[in-house]
Amino acid sequence: MITTCSTWSGGCGACVVLISKYDPSTEEVNEFSASSCLTLLGSVNLCTVTTSEGIGNTKDGFHPVQQRLSGFHASQCGFCTPGMCMSIFSALVKTDKTAARPAPPQGFSKLTASEAEKAISGNLCRCTGYRPIIDACKSFASDVDLEDLGLNSFWKKGTDHADVSKLPAYISGAICTFPEFLKSEIKSSINQMDNVPIEISDDDGWYHPRSIAELQVLLNSNWFDVKSVKIVASNTGSGVYKEQDLYDKYIDIKGIPELSVINRSSKGVEIGAAVSISKAIDVFLDGNLVFRKIADHLNMVATPFVRNMATVGGNIIMAQRLQFPSDIATVLLAAGSTVTVQVASKRLCFTLEDFLEQPPCDSRTLLLNIFVPDWDSDNVTFETCRASPRPFGNAVSYVNSAFLARISEASPGELLIEDIRLAFGAYGTKHAIKARNVEDFLRGKSVSASVMLEAIKLLKDAISPSVGTTHPEYRVSLAVSFLFSFLSSLASNLNEPARTDRPNGSDANGIMNGDAESSPVKHVKVDIDCLSIRSRQELVSTEEYKPVGKPIKKAGAELQASGEAVYVDDIPAPKGCLYGAFIYSTHPHARIKGIKFRSSLASQKVITVIDAKDIPSGGENIGSTFATLGDEALFADSVSEFAGQNIGIVIAETQKYAHMAAKQAVIEYSTENLEPPILTIEDAVQHNSYFHPPPFLAPKPVGDFSEGMYEADHKILSAEVKLESQYYFYMETQAALAIPDEDNCITVYSSAQMPEATQSVIGRCLGIPFHNVRVITRRVGGGFGGKAMKAMHVASACAIAAFKLRRPVRMFLDRKTDMIMAGGRHPMKVKYSVGFKSDGRVTALHLDLGINAGISPDYSPVMPNAVIGSLKKYNWGALAFDIKVCRTNVSSKSAMRAPGEVQGSFIAETIIEHVASALSADTNTIRRKNLHDFESLKVFFGGSAGEASTYSLVTIFDKLALSPDYQLRAAIVERFNSGSRWKKRGISCVPITYAVTLRPTPGRVSILNDCSIAVEVGGVEIGQGLWTKVKQMTAFVLGQLCPDGGEGLLDKVRVIQADSLSMIQGGWTAGSTTSETSCEAVRQSCGALVERLKPIKEDLEAKSGMVAWGSLIAQATMASVNLSAQAYWTPDPTTASYLNYGAAVSEVEVDVLTGATTILRSDLVYDCGQSLNPAVDLGQVEGAFVQGIGFFTNEEYTTNSDGLVINDGTWTYKIPTVDTIPKQFNVELYNSSRNQKHVLSSKASGEPPLLLASSVHCAMREAIRAARKEFSVCTGQANSPITFQMDVPATMVAVKELCGLDVVEKHLESLLAAKA
């Protein structure tokens, strides 16, 4: 029974399981999903736990959920897939037990399509882009139209009829989640427990009080110490407030009946403190307007699998004691709630407002219940709102609010506020508050523009974010927007022109969760965030090279779905295995004087600390290396050079002990006689701190810049744009297992993209020959470049520890440490000067580009060439640049999916858009005018341009930008903006050009005696479908020897894990070309086998006609034919580099009041050549695009003043989720002309499509421009509403700032001025 873990905070869903609890009194079984990383083992006593392997596996057969995920091509790296399975399965179990719903058609469940989408709203996936996962989930929905689902292996889209009978059959209740024999055991055990004194714990140190009195006995025991004893109801709070030490005792209060009561009466609802948030939602849903709105808001708190465990009381206590930015506290505060607490022997009742204002309660104070009064719905309106990066929740609010008003009709058409409650929270305050000054002002008034304006002024006095709060002005602006939206719904006449839309209600993504029911003022609301996700895929599969070119499902997808796929941390621990965790510096430049450990339970678990002095004699302090560009140290040796640098490794008996012990380390620093750290590009320029790339890597300028500027009719002489970093967020954090062997040998299992380079670094580190080091990588749970360099550090650290201690050592980094050490994408600062003609044709461009490389060269010397390479997608006339690769005291930045290219392509769009705004011209017209013809393409790209017939970019761009559909949509956007004040839309079409280079690659194919086939390649399976394509290529080439053409061979082929001693010169898995180069190496290997076997086949055919594969191999074995062939394919240098093309149209809607952006639609066309596997390539395109959306919009890579990463987990770092992808997501794989110089005319698909996500950023710029024109916003250097600097990422905060933080006030003032 296997679960994976990715974040240890309940923030990703990779470890979701189903927990089933039996109630003997009612004979009912309650099932719910839960995050296993937050669920303490002692808290599931008397429960059953079902994992993905428990519902289906290789031995017993796979469950339909697993089969459909596989068949819809919904698993890539696979690390998140078991959790996805269990979230879906849990949703099925829950809805199918809903008696009120009618029985679904055969093969379906009671789940609706909308519920299916939300079932995985809390699960993160970095690979797929979510669309195929959603389709797999929707396939169970009773109201789904199967024809609307995307590409799958059950029927051929557009040809076959979609029918549920073709799907793996789903039967409700087929999985027993709670066996009958366990029910009997529980009944008997409960009777026995009644006679056990509470003072006696289980052997594991757990106490389970059954009453408040028993709890008081425990709290008053002489052994009770808050430092070593933890009181728990669900433990989900540890996902936010990480444990800093170990506990030796636990008190589980869930078994106290009084804490789980739910009492409904005419006065209101009383909810016990230990009632789960999910249960509270169910209670509130069965109520009046106020209760239902509370339920709706609670549904946006955390994730389904966290809400199922988290308690309402725990949430309130965290808000009161730890200043937790609780949505629940804010909403219940507005609803007039009260709480009952037990302090020693006293019971006290407080209003929630008074309770929150009390000094933080101690660990002996017990919250018993929360009471929410019943508000008569007549003349009562209640709305809640929150602004967060994700509409469906799973993101802390920037601001949350709740408003309740009792209103009456003062006169026909005029409403009077009789009473009002206004609650605000999460804006940088200790706890949620009521804006009493605003309430007092509004009581007895009718809402008008003047009243609203005065209310807003008073609100600004009440809402004052504390010092150190991020984005304080934005948060105040949000509070203003929310109050304005609420009051607007109560206003009878704002004297606005008829065209103006009112700020309507909206949901979690920063919009009102309002309702007009029972409210005198009603308005139409279209909640675009809750629109169903739709998609279309257009692709061509060919028969010419079958099974190559067929969209077969990914090899091993079912294993991944069931949790049986083995990642590094799944390898059973060898005997005597120890565990390590990094101790890292928190200072960017300081001498390390020593390391001490705090006195704690965790520090007692330290076995030893490994650091630089433990590197063997003859070894080197090296953590990573890249080609000949330079090394990075494994450990800081006497001086820390950046915050986050590894200083040593704590060794302990378990991974938890090691992680917790590392937190106890106290490092003593000294900065005496050391220069201040260089942290920014500006600092580096000031101190001339640079890396100097070798000349052969430097990009070449094009043309004469001075001459081009002379030809220009117009010039922009100095403009700027900045791009921040991005974290990889692979689902599997860095992991390694080192096992010492005889004769100074060592075997290291590493989650690495570069096993060969990892082998060499370990050898150098230990001072032993490389042949003494074996590095094995079976599969990697996501890489994106992050498992290249940094994986070497983890593998080398394990190797040193294992080498010294002569015991196996394993490391599996916690998410925080991983994020701090990973480095991520390169931040850049760009200044540009551009000359252009009056018709928009650019004549010259000059860039001043600063790249923050961090402390070591890593991949950085390659970055200038990559940036300029993708920038050259346009014909700039003349192109010149001054690029500085800056050496700074921060973690080394490394290659991340489309490194340099994504920045360069975006910079090009920024310049083109600036030119268009300067000319007041249509941006697409300027783009089209500056696209290359083939002659200029050759000037800019040289031999990479290939042949004219392969240049498809202009065709692709015209297909999108000049289509009638685009023109119609652009007109609709313009019409929408002219009639909408508070929502603005934008649409944009962006082209891309991306150069890739093929590298030499090895391959070996061996046919075994039973006719099965083993294949080895240098590349590593990281989710990109390498194994799948290699299997197809093997079957295709060897199929020449088979009667069926080779399709029957697919099941006979197994691709073997990467092994640095078995397959040498494996190189690295990167650059989007590993699949095609591995396929070519395999093709050559298979070709050699075909040549050897053909004579035997022909001889057998002459004797007996058609020859079966088994007979052929048997005969060859008897004839002693060598059935293993190896090739080392080296590409032709003249064609090793080629260009990839694509374009994307994205349409967005921006909420001017909050800065929230919804991607309404994205249409991608990507030239994939003749795809080796359209299903795999489609997944790569979609996944890359969505990862790019994160870079351009949501993902804030934030550091403190010392350069240490502080957005270091899922709580603060937000990658895209199912609710942030395009509502309509269309992809076409464009089949360009055949190119015999490519591998079966195929092209790369892993990285180039990421660049297409800049279309979202560009569309957002168009929407923001419309808002700025509406409100005459002229912020920025240009002092213009249409020309403004828009950096990356364009977060909600950045969007709102560009739209204007004071647009509400401006609007109200304009209304008053017009009235005057």
Side-chain angles (χ1 to χ4, degrees):
M1 304 262 282
I2 299 171
T3 65
T4 58
C5 194
S6 178
T7 64
W8 292 270
S9 62
C12 72
C15 65
V16 169
V17 296
L18 183 77
I19 295 178
S20 304
K21 189 172 184 178
Y22 172 63
D23 186 345
S25 61
T26 62
E27 295 285 337
E28 291 182 348
V29 175
N30 179 33
E31 294 116 334
F32 52 90
S33 59
S35 184
S36 62
C37 69
L38 297 180
T39 305
L40 298 170
L41 189 59
S43 70
V44 291
N45 185 33
L46 305 181
C47 299
T48 64
V49 179
T50 306
T51 67
S52 191
E53 189 179 357
I55 66 171
N57 51 68
T58 307
K59 179 181 177 182
D60 302 323
F62 295 108
H63 189 274
V65 170
Q66 297 162 339
Q67 293 172 315
R68 294 192 191 184
L69 278 168
S70 173
F72 277 94
H73 312 291
S75 181
Q76 290 186 24
C77 87
F79 200 82
C80 71
T81 313
M84 293 285 182
C85 279
M86 294 313 297
S87 286
I88 298 171
F89 179 74
S90 300
L92 294 174
V93 169
K94 179 181 178 179
T95 55
D96 283 345
K97 292 180 73 172
T98 306
R101 298 191 181 190
Q106 187 173 1
F108 293 101
S109 72
K110 293 182 179 180
L111 199 69
T112 66
S114 175
E115 291 169 335
E117 288 184 11
K118 292 183 179 180
I120 57 167
S121 61
N123 294 72
L124 301 185
C125 175
R126 195 56 148 168
C127 296
T128 64
Y130 299 102
R131 193 276 312 162
I133 303 174
I134 295 169
D135 281 350
C137 198
K138 281 184 177 179
S139 72
F140 292 94
S142 56
D143 60 345
V144 73
D145 184 346
L146 293 177
E147 296 287 357
D148 290 339
L149 302 182
L151 179 70
N152 62 80
S153 61
F154 306 115
W155 56 79
K156 187 174 181 180
K157 290 281 292 180
T159 303
D160 299 339
H161 174 63
D163 190 271
V164 69
S165 64
K166 298 177 182 179
L167 292 168
Y170 170 69
I171 303 174
S172 176
I175 300 295
C176 176
T177 60
F178 211 102
E180 289 298 323
F181 76 90
L182 286 179
K183 297 178 181 178
S184 301
E185 290 190 16
I186 287 174
K187 289 178 180 178
S188 61
S189 66
I190 288 177
N191 294 331
Q192 295 173 8
M193 287 170 60
D194 288 339
N195 300 317
V196 177
I198 190 62
E199 291 84 354
I200 300 176
S201 76
D202 298 335
D203 293 337
D204 56 3
W206 277 77
Y207 295 82
H208 301 277
R210 292 154 296 194
S211 67
I212 300 294
E214 289 185 347
L215 175 62
Q216 291 297 323
V217 170
L218 296 175
L219 296 180
N220 293 326
S221 300
N222 56 11
W223 50 259
F224 181 80
D225 180 357
V226 69
K227 293 182 179 179
S228 60
V229 180
K230 186 171 188 179
I231 302 173
V232 296
S234 67
N235 196 51
T236 54
S238 65
V240 181
Y241 302 103
K242 306 294 185 184
E243 293 179 355
Q244 300 301 310
D245 197 3
L246 298 170
Y247 295 94
D248 59 5
K249 294 182 178 66
Y250 293 87
I251 300 176
D252 183 4
I253 61 175
K254 286 201 308 297
I256 300 175
E258 189 173 347
L259 300 183
S260 297
V261 298
I262 297 173
N263 291 324
R264 294 185 179 90
S265 70
S266 59
K267 294 182 179 180
V269 175
E270 177 188 335
I271 295 179
V275 171
S276 71
I277 296 174
S278 291
K279 182 63 177 176
I281 290 171
D282 292 339
V283 172
F284 286 128
L285 278 174
D286 187 23
N288 61 21
L289 163 71
V290 174
F291 289 153
R292 293 198 302 275
K293 295 311 303 176
I294 291 173
D296 289 345
H297 194 102
L298 265 57
N299 253 322
M300 296 180 288
V301 172
T303 63
F305 45 83
V306 170
R307 291 195 295 268
N308 290 338
M309 293 290 287
T311 64
V312 176
N315 188 283
I316 298 296
I317 284 291
M318 288 198 304
Q320 200 275 347
R321 183 187 296 165
L322 302 173
Q323 300 183 19
F324 176 67
S326 167
D327 277 69
I328 295 177
T330 303
V331 172
L332 296 185
L333 178 60
S337 304
T338 58
V339 299
T340 304
V341 298
Q342 177 109 15
V343 182
S345 59
K346 296 181 180 179
R347 292 199 174 188
L348 305 174
C349 185
F350 297 95
T351 65
L352 180 55
E353 183 179 18
D354 289 341
F355 179 64
L356 293 174
E357 290 177 351
Q358 296 290 313
C361 57
D362 62 22
S363 57
R364 286 181 167 85
T365 299
L366 182 66
L367 178 62
L368 300 177
N369 59 61
I370 302 97
F371 177 77
V372 186
D374 189 335
W375 293 82
D376 186 354
S377 293
D378 292 338
N379 297 323
V380 168
T381 183
F382 182 71
E383 294 182 354
T384 73
C385 47
R386 68 193 306 267
S388 75
R390 293 171 177 160
F392 289 171
N394 196 19
V396 67
S397 302
Y398 290 112
V399 172
N400 52 50
S401 308
F403 312 118
L404 186 150
R406 189 181 299 280
I407 53 181
S408 62
E409 193 169 26
S411 61
E414 183 177 356
L415 302 176
L416 182 73
I417 298 176
E418 295 183 353
D419 194 13
I420 190 166
R421 303 175 65 89
L422 308 173
F424 296 88
Y427 60 83
T429 179
K430 290 182 179 180
H431 52 75
I433 66 160
K434 285 179 63 190
R436 287 190 172 273
N437 59 335
V438 186
E439 293 174 352
D440 293 341
F441 170 74
L442 289 172
R443 286 191 188 95
K445 290 185 173 65
S446 295
V447 178
S448 64
S450 60
V451 167
M452 282 197 281
L453 191 59
E454 183 61 28
I456 286 169
K457 290 178 180 177
L458 292 171
L459 179 64
K460 287 183 175 181
D461 293 334
I463 302 297
S464 179
S466 59
V467 176
T469 300
T470 59
H471 317 303
E473 297 88 355
Y474 170 67
R475 293 173 191 266
V476 172
S477 177
L478 282 176
V480 168
S481 293
F482 292 150
L483 179 61
F484 169 66
S485 297
F486 177 66
L487 294 179
S488 293
S489 67
L490 306 180
S492 56
N493 182 13
L494 291 180
N495 296 319
E496 294 193 78
R499 59 161 286 278
T500 306
D501 66 316
R502 288 189 176 177
N504 57 9
S506 70
D507 67 351
N509 204 13
I511 316 176
M512 300 293 294
N513 185 18
D515 192 284
E517 180 180 343
S518 301
S519 171
V521 179
K522 298 186 179 182
H523 53 263
V524 177
K525 181 179 75 170
V526 178
D527 191 351
I528 58 173
D529 286 308
C530 291
L531 291 175
S532 180
I533 293 171
R534 297 177 296 160
S535 66
R536 185 186 73 249
Q537 302 84 41
E538 295 183 27
L539 45 87
V540 177
S541 59
T542 65
E543 300 286 333
E544 184 176 0
Y545 306 115
K546 65 178 185 181
V548 171
K550 306 289 285 185
I552 68 171
K553 63 184 179 182
K554 184 180 181 291
E558 286 95 346
L559 284 177
Q560 293 173 176
S562 68
E564 295 173 282
V566 177
Y567 300 86
V568 171
D569 198 54
D570 296 323
I571 299 170
K575 182 179 179 181
C577 187
L578 298 173
Y579 296 80
F582 282 122
I583 300 172
Y584 53 81
S585 167
T586 56
H587 199 290
H589 195 208
R591 289 188 176 86
I592 301 167
K593 299 183 68 175
I595 301 175
K596 298 179 181 179
F597 288 87
R598 299 181 186 91
S599 177
S600 63
L601 290 174
S603 62
Q604 298 172 21
K605 304 298 182 180
V606 176
I607 293 175
T608 189
V609 175
I610 303 293
D611 57 22
K613 70 178 184 296
D614 295 298
I615 295 173
S617 176
E620 303 175 47
N621 184 9
I622 177 175
S624 62
T625 187
F626 182 69
T628 60
L629 301 179
D631 304 334
E632 181 176 348
L634 176 59
F635 297 119
D637 190 359
S638 73
V639 175
S640 163
E641 293 189 291
F642 63 93
Q645 185 172 17
N646 303 325
I647 295 175
I649 323 164
V650 172
I651 301 296
E653 291 286 349
T654 71
Q655 192 67 70
K656 181 178 180 179
Y657 288 170
H659 283 156
M660 204 62 74
K663 294 181 180 182
Q664 312 309 310
V666 179
I667 305 166
E668 185 180 358
Y669 301 103
S670 171
T671 58
E672 187 177 356
N673 298 324
L674 288 177
E675 292 292 326
I678 297 170
L679 300 176
T680 66
I681 292 172
E682 292 82 359
D683 289 344
V685 172
Q686 183 179 351
H687 292 86
N688 290 312
S689 178
Y690 306 123
F691 293 113
H692 300 285
F696 72 91
L697 286 177
K700 303 295 188 293
V702 179
D704 187 321
F705 173 73
S706 298
E707 183 178 332
M709 290 297 278
Y710 179 78
E711 293 177 7
D713 298 328
H714 308 274
K715 298 174 184 177
I716 299 170
L717 294 181
S718 182
E720 184 178 299
V721 67
K722 295 179 181 179
L723 301 94
E724 297 300 330
S725 186
Q726 183 184 22
Y727 169 60
Y728 304 96
F729 218 105
Y730 29 66
M731 295 305 295
E732 174 201 32
T733 58
Q734 302 282 359
L737 168 63
I739 305 173
D741 205 345
E742 63 183 19
D743 195 24
N744 272 347
C745 291
I746 191 166
T747 298
V748 180
Y749 296 88
S750 176
S751 182
Q753 292 177 238
M754 303 169 68
E756 181 186 22
T758 304
Q759 175 193 41
S760 67
V761 167
I762 293 171
R764 290 173 60 187
C765 209
L766 299 179
I768 60 178
F770 294 178
H771 67 221
N772 282 25
V773 181
R774 166 170 261 143
V775 175
I776 296 173
T777 303
R778 177 173 295 182
R779 60 172 58 83
V780 172
F784 318 114
K787 299 286 181 68
M789 303 299 186
K790 299 303 179 182
M792 300 181 202
H793 289 251
V794 181
S796 299
C798 284
I800 288 178
F803 210 67
K804 177 180 180 179
L805 302 174
R806 305 309 301 170
R807 290 173 66 176
V809 174
R810 161 176 268 157
M811 292 181 72
F812 189 22
L813 267 56
D814 64 274
R815 181 62 68 177
K816 177 176 180 176
T817 303
D818 194 291
M819 293 189 73
I820 285 172
M821 68 167 281
R825 199 180 290 284
H826 290 74
M828 295 182 188
K829 180 179 179 180
V830 187
K831 291 185 177 179
Y832 58 88
S833 299
V834 60
F836 48 97
K837 306 293 282 185
S838 295
D839 65 355
R841 181 174 62 84
V842 176
T843 59
L845 171 65
H846 184 279
L847 291 185
D848 284 302
L849 173 62
I851 301 172
N852 193 335
I855 197 65
S856 72
D858 201 283
Y859 184 80
S860 299
V862 182
M863 292 296 291
N865 202 44
V867 173
I868 298 302
S870 60
L871 178 91
K872 293 190 297 186
K873 65 181 178 180
Y874 290 117
N875 180 358
W876 303 108
L879 175 62
F881 36 80
D882 180 12
I883 302 177
K884 293 179 171 60
V885 181
C886 301
R887 184 184 188 274
T888 58
N889 293 102
V890 299
S891 59
S892 298
K893 304 310 169 188
S894 194
M896 181 175 177
R897 198 175 197 171
E901 285 90 356
V902 65
Q903 292 100 325
S905 188
F906 169 76
I907 293 166
E909 294 307 323
T910 298
I911 297 166
I912 289 291
E913 291 190 330
H914 198 163
V915 170
S917 66
L919 294 172
S920 298
D922 174 65
T923 308
N924 279 346
T925 301
I926 306 301
R927 288 189 176 105
R928 181 63 176 84
K929 185 170 287 292
N930 288 286
L931 286 178
H932 289 285
D933 59 24
F934 186 67
E935 292 306 312
S936 66
L937 187 76
K938 289 190 294 183
V939 172
F940 275 73
F941 287 98
S944 299
E947 300 173 357
S949 62
T950 65
Y951 181 45
S952 57
L953 181 58
V954 174
T955 303
I956 291 173
F957 184 81
D958 289 349
K959 179 184 179 72
L960 288 173
L962 300 185
S963 68
D965 178 66
Y966 181 89
Q967 304 303 321
L968 176 61
R969 289 170 58 195
I972 292 173
V973 166
E974 185 174 355
R975 189 162 61 249
F976 176 89
N977 288 341
S978 67
S980 170
R981 171 165 280 133
W982 303 111
K983 300 286 180 70
K984 297 295 182 183
R985 291 183 180 179
I987 187 170
S988 184
C989 182
V990 169
I992 65 161
T993 299
Y994 193 108
V996 299
T997 302
L998 304 176
R999 299 184 304 274
T1001 306
R1004 180 189 296 129
V1005 180
S1006 303
I1007 306 172
L1008 308 184
N1009 290 341
D1010 66 345
C1011 306
S1012 62
I1013 304 161
V1015 181
E1016 294 175 82
V1017 292
V1020 174
E1021 175 60 58
I1022 58 176
Q1024 83 281 45
L1026 168 66
W1027 286 359
T1028 309
K1029 290 182 176 180
V1030 164
K1031 288 182 67 171
Q1032 289 174 278
M1033 183 63 78
T1034 303
F1036 161 63
V1037 182
L1038 294 182
Q1040 300 175 49
L1041 303 170
C1042 299
D1044 66 355
E1047 291 197 68
L1049 290 182
L1050 272 174
D1051 292 337
K1052 295 182 180 295
V1053 181
R1054 176 178 292 277
V1055 184
I1056 307 301
Q1057 62 192 14
D1059 184 330
S1060 64
L1061 289 185
S1062 177
M1063 181 61 65
I1064 65 167
Q1065 296 179 288
W1068 57 84
T1069 302
S1072 299
T1073 58
T1074 308
S1075 292
E1076 59 187 295
T1077 57
S1078 295
C1079 281
E1080 186 59 25
V1082 165
R1083 183 163 75 149
Q1084 291 188 2
S1085 301
C1086 289
L1089 291 173
V1090 169
E1091 290 301 313
R1092 296 174 195 171
L1093 292 170
K1094 262 187 178 179
I1096 297 176
K1097 177 176 182 289
E1098 291 169 354
D1099 186 52
L1100 289 173
E1101 284 178 337
K1103 295 177 181 178
S1104 55
M1106 188 175 294
V1107 180
W1109 172 253
S1111 301
L1112 174 61
I1113 301 308
Q1115 185 64 33
T1117 302
M1118 293 176 60
S1120 300
V1121 173
N1122 182 1
L1123 294 180
S1124 182
Q1126 180 169 339
Y1128 185 70
W1129 178 69
T1130 56
D1132 182 343
T1134 63
T1135 58
S1137 178
Y1138 65 86
L1139 300 180
N1140 297 268
Y1141 308 108
V1145 171
S1146 287
E1147 182 180 349
V1148 305
E1149 183 172 295
V1150 166
D1151 187 331
V1152 179
L1153 292 174
T1154 66
T1157 299
T1158 301
I1159 308 173
L1160 300 177
R1161 177 174 165 181
S1162 289
D1163 297 83
L1164 282 56
V1165 178
Y1166 180 68
D1167 183 353
C1168 215
Q1170 308 293 313
S1171 173
L1172 299 176
N1173 184 319
V1176 167
D1177 288 332
L1178 174 68
Q1180 291 293 288
V1181 171
E1182 292 178 332
F1185 183 79
V1186 171
Q1187 192 173 58
I1189 289 174
F1191 174 57
F1192 284 111
T1193 64
N1194 252 15
E1195 299 180 34
E1196 290 187 273
Y1197 186 97
T1198 307
T1199 61
N1200 65 13
S1201 59
D1202 288 323
L1204 183 70
V1205 174
I1206 54 175
N1207 279 8
D1208 53 14
T1210 54
W1211 185 248
T1212 50
Y1213 192 86
K1214 300 300 181 183
I1215 70 171
T1217 46
V1218 64
D1219 46 348
T1220 54
I1221 69 172
K1223 296 301 177 183
Q1224 185 166 342
F1225 197 0
N1226 304 326
V1227 178
E1228 176 185 347
L1229 297 185
Y1230 182 86
N1231 279 36
S1232 58
S1233 62
R1234 297 186 178 278
N1235 190 337
Q1236 297 306 317
K1237 296 176 182 178
H1238 295 173
V1239 179
L1240 300 187
S1241 298
S1242 66
K1243 299 182 77 172
S1245 63
E1247 293 176 290
L1250 188 142
L1251 279 59
L1252 296 171
S1254 65
S1255 62
V1256 173
H1257 193 280
C1258 294
M1260 291 168 67
R1261 181 190 290 273
E1262 296 297 330
I1264 293 168
R1265 182 177 285 120
R1268 288 168 67 91
K1269 290 166 67 176
E1270 174 89 37
F1271 294 99
S1272 300
V1273 177
C1274 295
T1275 56
Q1277 184 178 356
N1279 195 32
S1280 164
I1282 64 171
T1283 302
F1284 49 92
Q1285 181 177 332
M1286 185 171 167
D1287 297 332
V1288 174
T1291 61
M1292 288 177 66
V1293 178
V1295 171
K1296 174 59 176 168
E1297 288 174 346
L1298 289 171
C1299 289
L1301 294 174
D1302 59 351
V1303 290
V1304 168
E1305 295 93 315
K1306 281 186 175 181
H1307 171 62
L1308 292 174
E1309 289 168 355
S1310 69
L1311 291 180
L1312 291 175
K1315 186 176 181 181

